[in-house]
Amino acid sequence: MQNVYLDYSATTPTDPEVLAVMTPYFTEVFGNPSSVYSLAAKSRAAIEKARGQVATAIGAKPDEIFFTSSGTEADNWALKGTFEKLRSKGNHIITTKIEHHAILHTTDYLEKTDGAAITYLPVDSEGKISIEDLKAATTDKTILVSVMFANNEIGTIQPVKAIGEFCREKGILFHTDAVQAAAQIPVDVGYLKIDMMSLSAHKMYGPKGTGVFYLRSGVKLENFVHGGGQEKGRRASTENIAGIVGMGDAIERMKARQPQYQANLIRLRDRLIDGVMKSVPHTKLNGAVGSERLPNNTNFSFIGIEGETLLLDLDSKGISASTGSACTSGSLDPSHVLMAIGLSHELAHGSLRMTLGHGTTDEHVDYVLSVLPEIVAKRRSMSPVWEDFLKKNGGK
Ligand code: PLP
């Protein structure tokens, strides 16, 4: 049996080279950056180096980069910080039905407790919003548009440049959750006219527990964590120096390797997609095809299959994958993303997300293709939903 990890969109292993760069900041260079002695100055210098690395990677200026504890925190800051600052100007926020829960649960909160009015844009069958819908949803009370760069379940990439241009022209702030996208494809905040952006280190071979909030200079926002003067007083708390160093190093390495890795990932992704579509009958590929899909994402629905059961079967063969839906809470609700692209409950429940990464090889793809068809066939043979489906299709 092989061990095949195919859940790189959930998290990536920390690159050993990144870890080596981080390690001294736990033990040798441990000074509190706010202190006055030279040990502390070394910590401060390390943070500023990382700020520069992140800025260079996304086409920003170093003073536009704020370190957070996660992508989730950056998303919270974008929404709550904007709403608190601009609520006297307007209370309307536009987002989409397929955002990560870091956005959706925050907009829920703002709606229920703070009087925000939220529009959730629909998406088409591939998971893309329409600029026309965005334009039609905008009112004179709209203060923020938050549209994810690329979706974590189905990998669909949004028309970010067109959204950025429209928002800039209208004077509406534009935030994008690029936690998945920035780990896979080039992201340039200036070219795309992005005002705020969220990133996370653990999706790009950096450590867990470190994120980035990009805030374009001149954009006024409430501070997020109140306390000491760290991060210019905007996000207080003693800095996670090792994590920040890891974030800077990981994003720099990723940028340098991206063109080469991207081409290989696309090749492996397309091999996996073709193989599954050919070897498992009645399979639906969820998400976009080609360049509008993240290089590492595959997401399928198999009628007559419970995604959770499939994961256990795959796990027993050494394969780590995901349904793609946020079932961490043990909730049996189907994925909000798959429902938003128009899938039936049955198909949404039978989803499988396999996301590839630097460790993925042709042998891994071959192995998945050698076990998946049999697992699906076996589960289907026990499924009443499959039986019904066969009856409706004349037994085929
Ligand atoms: N946004 C998206 C699109 C994600 O995929 C994730 C994590 O899966 C997050 C936000 C949350 O990031 P973090 O785990 O750093 O809080």
Side-chain angles (χ1 to χ4, degrees):
M1 188 169 86
Q2 292 194 35
N3 274 320
V4 178
Y5 181 76
L6 287 173
D7 205 13
Y8 285 89
S9 286
T11 196
T12 58
T14 302
D15 181 332
E17 289 179 341
V18 173
L19 181 62
V21 174
M22 289 170 63
T23 305
Y25 294 93
F26 288 106
T27 49
E28 292 155 42
V29 191
F30 61 87
N32 187 322
S34 302
S35 302
V36 292
Y37 35 80
S38 44
L39 188 64
K42 283 190 186 163
S43 302
R44 277 199 297 280
I47 292 173
E48 293 320 309
K49 180 178 174 196
R51 209 184 299 284
Q53 286 168 314
V54 175
T56 304
I58 62 169
K61 293 184 268 205
D63 64 359
E64 297 174 317
I65 303 300
F66 295 87
F67 291 107
T68 65
S69 68
S70 62
T72 299
E73 186 187 318
D75 283 347
N76 270 259
W77 191 354
L79 297 174
K80 292 175 183 166
T82 305
F83 189 72
E84 279 179 30
K85 192 77 189 173
L86 297 182
R87 64 193 307 169
S88 58
K89 187 178 162 224
N91 69 339
H92 184 221
I93 296 174
I94 300 175
T95 186
T96 79
K97 290 187 174 177
I98 62 163
E99 297 297 309
H100 189 272
H101 284 132
I103 294 290
L104 293 179
H105 288 171
T106 308
T107 50
D108 256 4
Y109 165 81
L110 290 174
E111 195 167 32
K112 289 195 183 112
T113 61
D114 262 349
I118 315 287
T119 298
Y120 296 93
L121 295 176
V123 292
D124 64 16
S125 60
E126 291 189 341
K128 242 181 303 159
I129 67 149
S130 111
I131 296 292
E132 295 315 312
D133 285 344
L134 171 63
K135 288 182 182 167
T138 310
T139 73
D140 59 356
K141 295 266 180 280
T142 310
I143 52 170
L144 175 68
V145 170
S146 180
V147 175
M148 71 197 321
F149 206 119
N151 185 264
N152 47 303
E153 294 189 30
I154 56 175
T156 303
I157 300 167
Q158 298 295 340
V160 174
K161 187 162 194 294
I163 301 170
E165 277 167 358
F166 170 72
C167 290
R168 191 65 57 86
E169 194 190 303
K170 285 272 172 192
I172 299 169
L173 293 178
F174 173 40
H175 165 254
T176 188
D177 173 341
V179 165
Q180 294 292 340
Q184 305 288 326
I185 54 176
V187 167
D188 184 304
V189 289
Y191 174 71
L192 297 166
K193 298 198 167 35
I194 293 166
D195 295 310
M196 288 170 259
M197 187 164 81
S198 310
L199 305 174
S200 179
H202 76 100
K203 309 288 185 182
M204 48 177 87
Y205 307 90
K208 293 172 183 58
T210 306
V212 162
F213 182 54
Y214 159 78
L215 179 63
R216 186 166 70 86
S217 41
V219 174
K220 301 263 179 293
L221 218 63
E222 272 313 317
N223 297 343
F224 194 57
V225 179
H226 304 275
Q230 296 90 352
E231 299 296 281
K232 292 189 237 146
R234 312 210 62 176
R235 197 274 175 193
S237 155
T238 303
E239 297 88 340
N240 171 7
I241 310 168
I244 289 171
V245 166
M247 172 86 216
D249 194 61
I251 202 165
E252 187 176 89
R253 281 175 203 277
M254 191 206 60
K255 271 304 273 189
R257 295 171 182 167
Q258 207 164 46
Q260 176 202 344
Y261 278 126
Q262 201 175 314
N264 192 43
L265 279 178
I266 290 173
R267 186 185 66 76
L268 290 166
R269 175 198 72 186
D270 291 347
R271 265 201 71 209
L272 183 58
I273 290 176
D274 286 351
V276 173
M277 298 303 287
K278 281 188 189 131
S279 60
V280 184
H282 301 292
T283 298
K284 182 175 183 321
L285 175 69
N286 299 315
V289 284
S291 63
E292 283 165 346
R293 179 177 207 111
L294 285 179
N296 78 330
N297 176 282
T298 72
N299 188 309
F300 306 96
S301 278
F302 307 108
I303 186 77
I305 298 284
E306 269 298 330
E308 301 298 311
T309 325
L310 187 55
L311 294 189
L312 295 178
D313 289 344
L314 287 170
D315 187 39
S316 74
K317 300 279 183 193
I319 299 169
S320 308
S322 151
T323 57
S325 63
C327 281
T328 40
S329 58
S331 142
L332 289 178
D333 291 340
S335 145
H336 65 286
V337 176
L338 298 181
M339 295 307 286
I341 63 171
L343 261 55
S344 64
H345 271 259
E346 284 84 358
L347 272 178
H349 272 297
S351 68
L352 173 67
R353 178 185 79 170
M354 291 184 278
T355 47
L356 290 60
H358 294 182
T360 312
T361 62
D362 280 289
E363 288 70 41
H364 292 164
V365 173
D366 292 339
Y367 181 61
V368 171
L369 295 176
S370 74
V371 298
L372 183 66
E374 204 181 314
I375 292 175
V376 173
K378 193 165 156 219
R379 285 289 165 192
R380 278 178 169 166
S381 70
M382 299 182 257
S383 157
V385 176
W386 178 245
E387 209 174 296
D388 267 7
F389 175 81
L390 282 183
K391 271 187 209 143
K392 282 186 205 136
N393 276 276
K396 284 186 232 147

